[in-house]
């Protein structure tokens, strides 16, 4: 009787699947090896489903997230021409993408911002790539094209086509896989990242993974799960800068803004930027989010100084149509 050759990933599935007492988490190196193989297509579908779901059952840890993120980050240029990598995977269903105005503000302040995200859709949500399309903002086919832009969007499928396919597995598996967590943590080592999450307990995991990789990151429970401050609530940002972890706490001035827009229409973004619509909620969301992102860019926890600079830039922004903000005209 012939024996079937064991697959390269069989032992790595076994690490997670040896039962209640013998199963364990993968180390960073084991997770890196596993994800590197899967990104190359060296896996069986059964192995992919088993690895993702067993990690969910065991509740993925920092080592596994760091190892997976390291493998995916190797598909990004290590000389990526950006000051900040901005994850956007959740989509919005209550408010517009005020964080896009935050990025535009930072762009006007001289920084280069690269968003990355998903082309997948959940009913009732609008995704950032749709807003980029409506405003005819740059969407890249590969990360190296960022050298030609100061603000752009990179779909995760342009990093590796399988990433988008794996994000769609929720409709097959019934729950989100660890890839949703991992994609927010990717970054070349020299480019800091900002990440928005739904569940506050994930902040420590994201920052812990960044620390393991010697990356700089800032994480918040953002509006709709995006990296965007909700000014109606206290925001506690957790960061890892230069190997040091800590928190930045932003108190909310009030718990209800009557002038908060009632839908996700991108038209609100254009109207607020150009001064046609005044919304204290929107302006606070834009400036506070920009200030946190600036903290990440500068690897500094001095939020007050960052806020003052962003507020000054916001008040001084050009509202005319003969500037780069023509891109925010529908």
């Amino acid at each position: 009787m012939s024996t079937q050759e064991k697959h390269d990933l069989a032992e790595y599935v076994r690490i997670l699947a040896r039962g209640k007492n013998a199963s364990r988490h993968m180390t960073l190196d084991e997770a890196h090896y596993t994800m590197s193989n899967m990104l190359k297509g060296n896996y069986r579908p059964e192995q992919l489903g088993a690895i993702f779901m067993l990690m969910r059952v065991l509740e993925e840890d920092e080592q596994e997230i760091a190892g997976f993120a390291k493998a995916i980050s190797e598909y990004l240029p290590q000389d990526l021409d950006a000051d900040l990598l901005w994850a956007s995977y959740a989509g919005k269903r209550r408010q517009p993408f005020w964080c896009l105005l935050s990025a535009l503000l930072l762009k006007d302040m001289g920084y280069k911002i690269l968003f990355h995200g998903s082309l997948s859709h959940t009913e009732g949500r609008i995704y950032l790539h749709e807003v980029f399309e409506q405003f005819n903002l740059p969407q890249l086919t590969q990360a190296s094209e960022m050298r030609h832009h100061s603000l752009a969007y990179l779909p995760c499928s342009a990093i590796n086509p399988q990433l988008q396919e794996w994000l769609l597995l929720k409709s097959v598996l019934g729950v989100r896989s660890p890839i949703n967590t991992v994609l927010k943590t990717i970054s070349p080592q020299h480019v800091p990242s900002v990440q928005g999450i739904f569940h506050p307990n994930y902040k420590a995991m994201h920052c812990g993974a960044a620390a393991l990789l010697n990356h700089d990151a800032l994480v918040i429970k953002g509006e709709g799960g995006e990296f965007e401050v909700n000014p109606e609530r206290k925001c506690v940002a957790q960061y890892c800068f230069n190997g040091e972890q800590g928190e930045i706490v932003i108190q909310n001035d009030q718990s209800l803004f009557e002038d908060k827009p009632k839908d996700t229409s991108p038209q609100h973004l254009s109207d607020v930027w150009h001064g046609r619509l005044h919304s204290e909620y929107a302006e606070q969301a834009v400036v506070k989010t920009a200030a946190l992102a600036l903290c990440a860019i500068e690897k500094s926890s001095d939020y007050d100084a960052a806020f003052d600079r962003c507020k000054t830039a916001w008040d001084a922004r050009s509202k005319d149509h003969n500037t780069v903000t023509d891109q925010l005209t529908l």
Side-chain angles (χ1 to χ4, degrees):
M1 185 186 343
S2 63
T3 58
Q4 186 173 358
E5 184 178 349
K6 184 181 289 188
H7 193 280
D8 291 342
L9 292 185
E11 284 299 319
Y12 295 83
V13 178
R14 187 170 179 267
I15 289 170
L16 302 169
R18 286 184 292 184
K20 181 178 178 180
N21 297 319
S23 296
R24 63 172 175 82
H25 292 288
M26 287 188 280
T27 65
L28 191 156
D29 288 340
E30 289 166 343
H32 176 260
Y33 178 86
T34 299
M35 178 54 69
S36 295
N37 273 273
M38 293 198 299
L39 288 167
K40 296 172 184 174
N42 182 27
Y43 67 91
R44 293 282 299 271
E46 300 91 336
Q47 293 173 323
L48 180 75
I51 289 168
F52 282 172
M53 289 301 92
L54 287 166
M55 286 177 66
R56 281 298 302 267
V57 171
L58 293 174
E59 298 185 352
E60 62 268 33
D61 73 353
E62 296 171 358
Q63 294 268 340
E64 290 168 332
I65 297 303
F68 276 15
K70 180 181 179 182
I72 297 171
S73 296
E74 289 167 356
Y75 283 75
L76 291 168
Q78 295 309 297
D79 60 348
L80 180 66
D81 189 11
D83 296 306
L84 184 68
L85 201 59
W86 195 312
S88 178
Y89 287 86
K92 292 296 218 82
R93 64 185 180 89
R94 292 192 180 94
Q95 286 293 297
F97 273 97
W98 300 120
C99 58
L100 177 57
L101 297 191
S102 305
L104 276 170
L105 184 64
L106 291 168
K107 175 183 182 293
D108 282 357
M109 293 169 67
Y111 298 103
K112 301 189 68 170
I113 313 296
L114 177 59
F115 284 97
H116 63 101
S118 168
L119 302 181
S120 60
H121 289 79
T122 299
E123 187 177 358
R125 287 185 175 270
I126 185 171
Y127 287 81
L128 189 58
H129 74 92
E130 297 176 285
V131 182
F132 266 68
E133 288 170 4
Q134 291 187 53
F135 287 125
N136 198 30
L137 291 166
Q139 298 194 62
L140 310 183
T141 59
Q142 54 186 12
S144 60
E145 296 170 357
M146 187 62 193
R147 65 182 180 273
H148 302 303
H149 304 282
S150 296
L151 173 67
Y153 177 89
L154 180 73
C156 65
S157 57
I159 302 172
N160 185 296
Q162 294 189 92
L163 297 174
Q164 180 62 49
E165 296 175 14
W166 294 343
L167 284 173
L168 296 175
L169 286 176
K170 182 182 178 182
S171 62
V172 177
L173 300 173
V175 294
R176 293 179 183 272
S177 75
I179 202 68
N180 295 76
T181 301
V182 171
L183 278 171
K184 295 179 182 180
T185 68
I186 65 173
S187 181
Q189 191 166 1
H190 74 286
V191 182
S193 67
V194 290
Q195 307 159 28
I197 58 170
F198 284 106
H199 305 295
N201 59 318
Y202 271 71
K203 285 190 292 187
M205 181 188 298
H206 283 257
C207 286
L212 288 169
L213 295 172
N214 197 27
H215 289 181
D216 299 291
L218 191 148
V219 188
I220 66 171
K221 174 177 166 55
E223 203 289 316
E226 291 285 344
F227 185 83
E228 180 181 298
V229 174
N230 179 347
E232 292 183 335
R233 300 173 184 168
K234 180 173 77 171
C235 177
V236 180
Q238 190 160 341
Y239 64 81
C240 177
F241 297 153
N242 298 315
E244 298 292 329
Q245 296 191 48
E247 287 185 346
I248 298 171
V249 179
I250 307 172
Q251 299 293 342
N252 56 317
D253 297 328
Q254 58 193 82
S255 58
L256 180 65
F257 289 80
E258 296 292 345
D259 63 2
K260 181 171 64 173
K262 306 300 183 185
D263 58 59
T264 62
S265 172
Q267 184 64 53
H268 297 314
L269 302 179
S270 180
D271 290 344
V272 166
W273 182 276
H274 291 300
R276 295 188 294 265
L277 171 66
H278 175 76
S279 166
E280 183 64 22
Y281 176 95
E283 292 182 13
Q284 284 203 28
V286 171
V287 177
K288 290 180 176 180
T289 302
L292 280 180
L294 182 57
C295 286
I297 292 171
E298 298 188 335
K299 305 172 188 178
S300 166
S301 60
D302 192 347
Y303 169 79
D304 291 337
F307 178 87
D308 289 343
R309 288 168 59 192
C310 291
K311 183 64 167 63
T312 298
W314 175 257
D315 292 341
R317 75 191 186 283
S318 175
K319 302 174 186 177
D320 297 332
H321 292 292
N322 60 351
T323 68
V324 68
T325 55
D326 281 343
Q327 296 171 114
L328 278 186
T329 302
L330 290 173

